[in-house]
């Protein structure tokens, strides 16, 4: 299989995310329940997470059978093409379970370990976000218009609106709450949206000045991290390190470093 043009991967990711988003939006049963749990009894999987991942991996495998996969709900194959798809079929499962609108489908493509394409589909917002490495970040809204994304000009840190998320393991959540309590007086305010992919896109779109979270997996951040960076945001983990399970930080330049420094001071990466 020849090395694909990133635009071909983008088109495929957009199609897969759109189809999965339609399935999740239109196929949600009225009596939706928990199909399984992960890290704790409140870290849930629904039947729709599983169905959406099967739809995505089925489509990708049909079009590009030699590619690898890494998916939240179990899809994991190495592939032989050098391309790996990193998939979160339903980011914000608890929001989806409760009927809240902040959830998304997240699909990224990596070539030899480097993220080159990212797509986040947010069906209840009627918004699609995407980026190609080196090509900028874009969004399509409810009326079909495409908009180039750009993060906000940096305010002083005490005027920054920052989002975060909380782990589902009790002792980790307790420490995260302590970090947030110490951080709130340093900021304009904190938000908790419930979807890492959407939060990262909101940084890209200028709706947030920053975002941080501990405990993310590759599928949580792969697409959103690329979209945020291509929109001009800075992303990373602890100082000098990339975003990972210890810490993910994304923010407009000027907010990123002071926010990252406070998170390091407050020990946001550990219990």
């Amino acid at each position: 299989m020849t090395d694909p043009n990133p635009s071909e991967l983008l088109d495929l990711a957009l199609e897969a995310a759109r189809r999965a988003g339609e399935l999740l939006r239109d196929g949600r049963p009225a009596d939706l329940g928990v199909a399984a749990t992960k890290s704790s009894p409140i870290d849930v999987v629904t039947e729709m997470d599983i169905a959406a991942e099967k739809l995505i991996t089925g489509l990708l495998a049909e079009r590009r059978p030699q590619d690898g996969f890494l998916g939240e709900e179990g899809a994991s194959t190495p592939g032989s093409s050098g391309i790996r798809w990193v998939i979160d079929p339903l980011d914000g499962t608890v929001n989806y379970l409760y009927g809240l609108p902040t959830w998304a489908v997240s699909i990224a493509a990596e070539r030899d370990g480097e993220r080159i394409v990212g797509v986040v589909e947010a069906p209840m917002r009627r918004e699609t976000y995407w980026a190609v490495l080196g090509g900028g970040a874009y969004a399509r809204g409810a009326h079909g218009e495409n908009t180039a994304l750009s993060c906000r000009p940096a305010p002083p840190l005490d005027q920054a609106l920052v989002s975060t998320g909380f782990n589902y393991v009790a002792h980790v959540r307790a420490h995260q709450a302590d970090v947030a309590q110490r951080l709130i007086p340093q900021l304009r305010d904190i938000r908790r949206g419930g979807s890492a992919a959407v939060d990262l896109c909101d940084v890209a779109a200028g709706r947030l000045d920053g975002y941080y979270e501990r405990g993310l997996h590759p599928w949580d951040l792969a697409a959103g991290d690329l979209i945020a960076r291509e929109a001009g945001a800075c992303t990373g983990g602890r100082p000098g390190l990339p975003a990972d399970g210890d810490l993910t930080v994304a923010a407009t330049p000027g907010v990123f470093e002071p926010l990252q420094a406070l998170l390091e001071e407050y020990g946001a990466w550990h219990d």
Side-chain angles (χ1 to χ4, degrees), residues 217-241:
H217 299 282
W219 48 79
D220 296 314
L221 62 89
D225 180 86
L226 178 62
I227 293 166
R229 284 190 285 110
E230 287 294 323
C234 298
T235 72
R238 296 183 64 189
L241 297 175

Side-chain angles (χ1 to χ4, degrees), residues 138-230:
Y138 298 86
R140 180 176 299 125
H143 302 292
E145 71 283 7
N146 292 345
T147 305
L149 297 179
S150 179
C151 60
R152 289 169 57 87
L157 187 63
D158 63 2
Q159 297 176 32
L161 183 64
V162 173
S163 184
T164 191
F166 296 99
N167 198 279
Y168 290 109
V169 176
H171 75 276
V172 178
R173 289 163 68 87
H175 178 66
Q176 290 174 317
D178 179 66
V179 171
Q181 182 180 29
R182 298 178 68 186
L183 193 61
I184 284 172
Q186 314 297 326
L187 306 171
R188 182 188 296 276
D189 207 349
I190 281 184
R191 295 289 182 266
R192 197 278 197 253
S195 166
V198 173
D199 280 341
L200 287 162
C201 290
D202 279 345
V203 172
R207 293 168 172 163
L208 291 169
D209 298 303
Y211 162 72
Y212 75 94
E213 188 165 351
R214 177 194 167 192
L216 296 185
H217 299 282
W219 48 79
D220 296 314
L221 62 89
D225 180 86
L226 178 62
I227 293 166
R229 284 190 285 110
E230 287 294 323

Side-chain angles (χ1 to χ4, degrees), residues 63-74:
R63 304 283 181 84
R64 296 189 51 83
Q66 297 178 30
D67 290 355
F69 298 99
L70 177 65
E72 181 175 15
E73 308 310 336

Side-chain angles (χ1 to χ4, degrees), residues 10-263:
L10 174 62
D11 288 343
L12 183 52
L14 285 166
E15 180 182 354
R18 176 183 56 79
R19 289 193 185 186
E22 290 172 349
L23 171 70
L24 290 163
R25 182 193 64 211
D26 301 337
R28 184 186 184 277
D31 59 348
L32 180 67
V34 174
T37 59
K38 292 180 282 189
S39 63
S40 79
I42 56 174
D43 186 7
V44 300
V45 180
T46 73
E47 62 194 82
M48 298 302 292
D49 296 68
I50 298 166
E53 183 161 295
K54 286 182 178 178
L55 184 155
I56 294 166
T57 56
L59 176 62
L60 297 178
E62 176 186 344
R63 304 283 181 84
R64 296 189 51 83
Q66 297 178 30
D67 290 355
F69 298 99
L70 177 65
E72 181 175 15
E73 308 310 336
S76 182
T77 58
S80 59
S81 66
I83 300 296
R84 184 176 75 159
W85 299 91
V86 185
I87 303 159
D88 192 339
L90 177 49
D91 187 61
T93 299
V94 172
N95 283 349
Y96 182 78
L97 179 65
Y98 278 77
L100 293 169
T102 305
W103 53 269
V105 179
S106 174
I107 302 175
E110 298 176 342
R111 181 170 56 203
D112 299 324
E114 181 180 37
R115 293 172 197 146
I116 57 171
V117 166
V119 171
V120 173
E121 178 81 14
M124 304 309 292
R125 289 186 172 196
R126 300 176 67 189
E127 293 176 341
T128 305
Y129 307 85
W130 69 90
V132 172
L133 182 65
Y138 298 86
R140 180 176 299 125
H143 302 292
E145 71 283 7
N146 292 345
T147 305
L149 297 179
S150 179
C151 60
R152 289 169 57 87
L157 187 63
D158 63 2
Q159 297 176 32
L161 183 64
V162 173
S163 184
T164 191
F166 296 99
N167 198 279
Y168 290 109
V169 176
H171 75 276
V172 178
R173 289 163 68 87
H175 178 66
Q176 290 174 317
D178 179 66
V179 171
Q181 182 180 29
R182 298 178 68 186
L183 193 61
I184 284 172
Q186 314 297 326
L187 306 171
R188 182 188 296 276
D189 207 349
I190 281 184
R191 295 289 182 266
R192 197 278 197 253
S195 166
V198 173
D199 280 341
L200 287 162
C201 290
D202 279 345
V203 172
R207 293 168 172 163
L208 291 169
D209 298 303
Y211 162 72
Y212 75 94
E213 188 165 351
R214 177 194 167 192
L216 296 185
H217 299 282
W219 48 79
D220 296 314
L221 62 89
D225 180 86
L226 178 62
I227 293 166
R229 284 190 285 110
E230 287 294 323
C234 298
T235 72
R238 296 183 64 189
L241 297 175
D244 59 18
D246 284 341
L247 187 63
T248 295
V249 186
T252 185
V255 170
F256 179 82
E257 287 190 2
L259 175 61
Q260 187 186 48
L262 281 177
L263 293 169

